[in-house]
Short mmCIF file of all heavy atoms in Angstrom, two decimals:
data_model
loop_
_atom_site.label_atom_id
_atom_site.label_comp_id
_atom_site.label_asym_id
_atom_site.label_seq_id
_atom_site.Cartn_x
_atom_site.Cartn_y
_atom_site.Cartn_z
N ASP A 1 10.61 -9.06 2.40
CA ASP A 1 9.78 -10.10 3.01
C ASP A 1 8.34 -10.01 2.49
O ASP A 1 7.70 -11.03 2.23
CB ASP A 1 9.78 -9.94 4.53
CG ASP A 1 11.11 -10.30 5.17
OD1 ASP A 1 11.94 -10.93 4.48
OD2 ASP A 1 11.31 -9.94 6.34
N ALA A 2 7.84 -8.80 2.34
CA ALA A 2 6.47 -8.61 1.90
C ALA A 2 6.27 -9.08 0.46
O ALA A 2 5.26 -9.71 0.14
CB ALA A 2 6.07 -7.14 2.04
N VAL A 3 7.20 -8.76 -0.44
CA VAL A 3 7.08 -9.21 -1.83
C VAL A 3 7.05 -10.72 -1.89
O VAL A 3 6.25 -11.31 -2.63
CB VAL A 3 8.23 -8.63 -2.69
CG1 VAL A 3 8.26 -9.33 -4.06
CG2 VAL A 3 8.06 -7.13 -2.87
N ALA A 4 7.90 -11.38 -1.11
CA ALA A 4 7.88 -12.84 -1.07
C ALA A 4 6.53 -13.35 -0.58
O ALA A 4 5.99 -14.33 -1.11
CB ALA A 4 9.00 -13.35 -0.17
N GLN A 5 5.98 -12.69 0.43
CA GLN A 5 4.70 -13.12 0.97
C GLN A 5 3.57 -12.90 -0.03
O GLN A 5 2.60 -13.66 -0.07
CB GLN A 5 4.41 -12.37 2.27
CG GLN A 5 3.21 -12.89 3.02
CD GLN A 5 3.14 -12.35 4.45
OE1 GLN A 5 4.15 -11.99 5.04
NE2 GLN A 5 1.94 -12.27 4.99
N LEU A 6 3.69 -11.86 -0.85
CA LEU A 6 2.65 -11.56 -1.85
C LEU A 6 2.68 -12.54 -3.02
O LEU A 6 1.72 -12.60 -3.78
CB LEU A 6 2.84 -10.14 -2.37
CG LEU A 6 2.44 -9.02 -1.40
CD1 LEU A 6 2.93 -7.67 -1.92
CD2 LEU A 6 0.94 -8.98 -1.18
N GLY A 7 3.77 -13.27 -3.18
CA GLY A 7 3.85 -14.22 -4.27
C GLY A 7 5.03 -14.00 -5.19
O GLY A 7 5.13 -14.64 -6.25
N GLY A 8 5.93 -13.10 -4.81
CA GLY A 8 7.14 -12.89 -5.59
C GLY A 8 7.00 -11.87 -6.69
O GLY A 8 5.95 -11.22 -6.88
N SER A 9 8.06 -11.73 -7.48
CA SER A 9 8.13 -10.67 -8.49
C SER A 9 7.14 -10.88 -9.64
O SER A 9 6.92 -9.97 -10.43
CB SER A 9 9.54 -10.59 -9.04
OG SER A 9 9.93 -11.83 -9.62
N ALA A 10 6.55 -12.04 -9.75
CA ALA A 10 5.56 -12.27 -10.81
C ALA A 10 4.30 -11.44 -10.60
O ALA A 10 3.60 -11.13 -11.58
CB ALA A 10 5.20 -13.76 -10.88
N VAL A 11 4.02 -11.08 -9.36
CA VAL A 11 2.77 -10.35 -9.08
C VAL A 11 3.00 -9.01 -8.38
O VAL A 11 2.11 -8.16 -8.36
CB VAL A 11 1.80 -11.19 -8.23
CG1 VAL A 11 1.32 -12.42 -9.01
CG2 VAL A 11 2.43 -11.60 -6.91
N ALA A 12 4.17 -8.83 -7.78
CA ALA A 12 4.40 -7.63 -6.98
C ALA A 12 5.87 -7.23 -7.03
O ALA A 12 6.75 -8.04 -7.28
CB ALA A 12 3.96 -7.86 -5.54
N GLU A 13 6.10 -5.95 -6.78
CA GLU A 13 7.46 -5.46 -6.64
C GLU A 13 7.46 -4.33 -5.64
O GLU A 13 6.40 -3.87 -5.20
CB GLU A 13 8.04 -5.02 -7.98
CG GLU A 13 7.20 -4.05 -8.77
CD GLU A 13 7.70 -3.93 -10.21
OE1 GLU A 13 8.66 -3.15 -10.42
OE2 GLU A 13 7.15 -4.61 -11.10
N SER A 14 8.64 -3.88 -5.26
CA SER A 14 8.72 -2.92 -4.17
C SER A 14 9.63 -1.76 -4.53
O SER A 14 10.48 -1.85 -5.42
CB SER A 14 9.25 -3.60 -2.90
OG SER A 14 10.59 -4.00 -3.06
N ARG A 15 9.43 -0.64 -3.81
CA ARG A 15 10.27 0.54 -3.92
C ARG A 15 10.46 1.12 -2.52
O ARG A 15 9.51 1.16 -1.73
CB ARG A 15 9.63 1.61 -4.81
CG ARG A 15 9.32 1.20 -6.23
CD ARG A 15 10.57 1.04 -7.06
NE ARG A 15 10.27 0.87 -8.47
CZ ARG A 15 9.94 -0.29 -9.04
NH1 ARG A 15 9.87 -1.39 -8.30
NH2 ARG A 15 9.70 -0.36 -10.33
N VAL A 16 11.65 1.58 -2.24
CA VAL A 16 11.90 2.30 -0.99
C VAL A 16 11.44 3.74 -1.17
O VAL A 16 11.80 4.40 -2.15
CB VAL A 16 13.38 2.24 -0.59
CG1 VAL A 16 13.64 3.12 0.63
CG2 VAL A 16 13.81 0.82 -0.33
N CYS A 17 10.65 4.23 -0.22
CA CYS A 17 10.14 5.60 -0.30
C CYS A 17 9.81 6.09 1.11
O CYS A 17 9.25 5.34 1.92
CB CYS A 17 8.87 5.66 -1.17
SG CYS A 17 8.10 7.31 -1.23
N ASP A 18 10.19 7.32 1.39
CA ASP A 18 9.83 7.98 2.65
C ASP A 18 8.67 8.92 2.36
O ASP A 18 8.85 9.96 1.71
CB ASP A 18 11.02 8.74 3.22
CG ASP A 18 10.75 9.32 4.59
OD1 ASP A 18 9.57 9.39 5.00
OD2 ASP A 18 11.72 9.71 5.28
N VAL A 19 7.48 8.56 2.81
CA VAL A 19 6.29 9.31 2.48
C VAL A 19 6.33 10.74 3.00
O VAL A 19 5.61 11.61 2.52
CB VAL A 19 5.05 8.55 3.00
CG1 VAL A 19 4.92 8.69 4.52
CG2 VAL A 19 3.78 9.01 2.31
N ARG A 20 7.19 11.00 3.97
CA ARG A 20 7.33 12.35 4.53
C ARG A 20 8.09 13.28 3.59
O ARG A 20 8.01 14.51 3.74
CB ARG A 20 8.08 12.29 5.87
CG ARG A 20 7.40 11.41 6.92
CD ARG A 20 8.32 11.18 8.11
NE ARG A 20 9.57 10.51 7.72
CZ ARG A 20 10.53 10.17 8.56
NH1 ARG A 20 10.39 10.44 9.85
NH2 ARG A 20 11.61 9.56 8.12
N ASP A 21 8.80 12.71 2.65
CA ASP A 21 9.69 13.44 1.75
C ASP A 21 9.02 13.59 0.39
O ASP A 21 8.89 12.61 -0.35
CB ASP A 21 11.03 12.71 1.64
CG ASP A 21 12.03 13.41 0.76
OD1 ASP A 21 11.67 14.36 0.05
OD2 ASP A 21 13.20 12.99 0.79
N ARG A 22 8.64 14.81 0.02
CA ARG A 22 7.91 15.02 -1.23
C ARG A 22 8.73 14.58 -2.44
O ARG A 22 8.19 14.03 -3.41
CB ARG A 22 7.52 16.48 -1.35
CG ARG A 22 6.47 16.80 -2.41
CD ARG A 22 6.07 18.25 -2.33
NE ARG A 22 5.63 18.57 -0.98
CZ ARG A 22 5.61 19.80 -0.47
NH1 ARG A 22 6.05 20.82 -1.19
NH2 ARG A 22 5.17 20.03 0.74
N GLU A 23 10.01 14.82 -2.41
CA GLU A 23 10.87 14.45 -3.54
C GLU A 23 10.96 12.92 -3.64
O GLU A 23 10.98 12.36 -4.76
CB GLU A 23 12.26 15.04 -3.37
CG GLU A 23 13.24 14.67 -4.46
CD GLU A 23 12.81 15.10 -5.86
OE1 GLU A 23 11.98 16.02 -5.99
OE2 GLU A 23 13.30 14.49 -6.83
N SER A 24 11.02 12.23 -2.52
CA SER A 24 11.03 10.77 -2.53
C SER A 24 9.74 10.23 -3.14
O SER A 24 9.75 9.28 -3.92
CB SER A 24 11.21 10.25 -1.11
OG SER A 24 11.22 8.84 -1.08
N VAL A 25 8.62 10.84 -2.81
CA VAL A 25 7.34 10.43 -3.37
C VAL A 25 7.30 10.70 -4.87
O VAL A 25 6.81 9.88 -5.66
CB VAL A 25 6.18 11.14 -2.64
CG1 VAL A 25 4.84 10.83 -3.33
CG2 VAL A 25 6.12 10.71 -1.18
#
């Protein structure tokens, strides 16, 4: 939803990450 709100893949992209998990970061 956020990427769409930002203007789509032309300007933004996303990654799933759990900031609590050092390996995920």
Side-chain angles (χ1 to χ4, degrees):
D1 290 345
V3 169
Q5 189 167 334
L6 288 168
S9 59
V11 295
E13 53 193 277
S14 67
R15 301 289 190 277
V16 174
C17 176
D18 186 344
V19 74
R20 302 169 299 181
D21 182 348
R22 195 174 305 158
E23 178 59 22
S24 180
V25 173

